[in-house]
Amino acid sequence: MMLGFQLIACHCAKPATEDASAQASPYVRPVFVTGPPLMVYRTRADLADKVPVILTADGSSIASYPDPRDLQGASGPPRPTTLHKGYLLDNRGINGHVAFLKMTYAEYAALKEAPSAQDLMGLIIDKDPLVELCDCGDKQAFSNKVEQLDRLIDDGKLRTICKVIK
């Protein structure tokens, strides 16, 4: 059972300046977010192959979780993309209320149907797995997401340019 659209806040770009080098900056973000946000994160442990679920704000129950068919894409499950320095690019739709299951993408995708939300609560590894979470704006604004995000990470600008969630 997946939740539909999530409300995505508008992110504003840094103010334009008269400096031509600032206008040509590779870090300028779009003023309006029209598509899904680019979420970049780091976790306390290696959870890249574990299935994420979204908890309610108080963490007492699961608000959203995938159907096993959601993890059976033609190019494989939507695992996060590895970025520099231990960062990951989300490909599932996580937020600050994410938790990860003990199950791998392959194990979960092999299920005939999704377990109940109550059963999934018992499979959570850590209810607070994130060290960092940044919303880097509209995915459509990036011409080469991985290269551009790696550059932000390498230049120490991820937390300056992207909206820090955690």
Side-chain angles (χ1 to χ4, degrees):
M1 176 166 125
M2 291 293 294
L3 289 179
F5 281 80
Q6 294 180 358
L7 183 59
I8 301 171
C10 174
H11 298 282
C12 298
K14 295 196 180 280
T17 66
E18 298 299 317
D19 180 7
S21 64
Q23 291 178 0
S25 169
Y27 306 123
V28 174
R29 295 184 338 145
V31 174
F32 297 104
V33 174
T34 58
L38 265 175
M39 302 299 277
V40 176
Y41 65 100
R42 285 188 310 126
T43 55
R44 297 179 207 294
D46 181 6
L47 301 172
D49 196 37
K50 303 299 184 186
V51 176
V53 295
I54 304 300
L55 300 175
T56 56
D58 67 1
S60 65
S61 61
I62 294 179
S64 174
Y65 58 98
D67 185 279
R69 293 173 296 200
D70 295 337
L71 305 184
Q72 300 169 355
S75 60
R79 288 182 183 91
T81 303
T82 302
L83 299 171
H84 290 181
K85 299 183 181 180
Y87 285 90
L88 298 167
L89 169 59
D90 173 52
N91 292 313
R92 273 287 317 138
I94 70 164
N95 65 28
H97 302 293
V98 69
F100 289 87
L101 302 178
K102 295 175 185 174
M103 299 180 79
T104 66
Y105 280 94
E107 292 167 339
Y108 196 91
L111 297 174
K112 297 284 184 217
E113 61 182 42
S116 70
Q118 184 177 3
D119 289 340
L120 289 174
M121 281 297 291
L123 296 174
I124 291 176
I125 296 170
D126 184 352
K127 286 186 175 182
D128 186 23
L130 300 178
V131 173
E132 273 183 88
L133 176 64
C134 295
D135 177 346
C136 294
D138 190 344
K139 285 184 179 185
Q140 305 304 318
F142 290 78
S143 58
N144 185 330
K145 296 179 291 222
V146 173
E147 182 180 303
Q148 290 169 294
L149 290 168
D150 279 340
R151 184 172 178 184
L152 285 175
I153 293 165
D154 293 343
D155 292 350
K157 297 199 180 279
L158 182 71
R159 294 179 66 88
T160 303
I161 301 299
C162 300
K163 179 181 177 186
V164 176
I165 307 296
K166 180 170 185 175

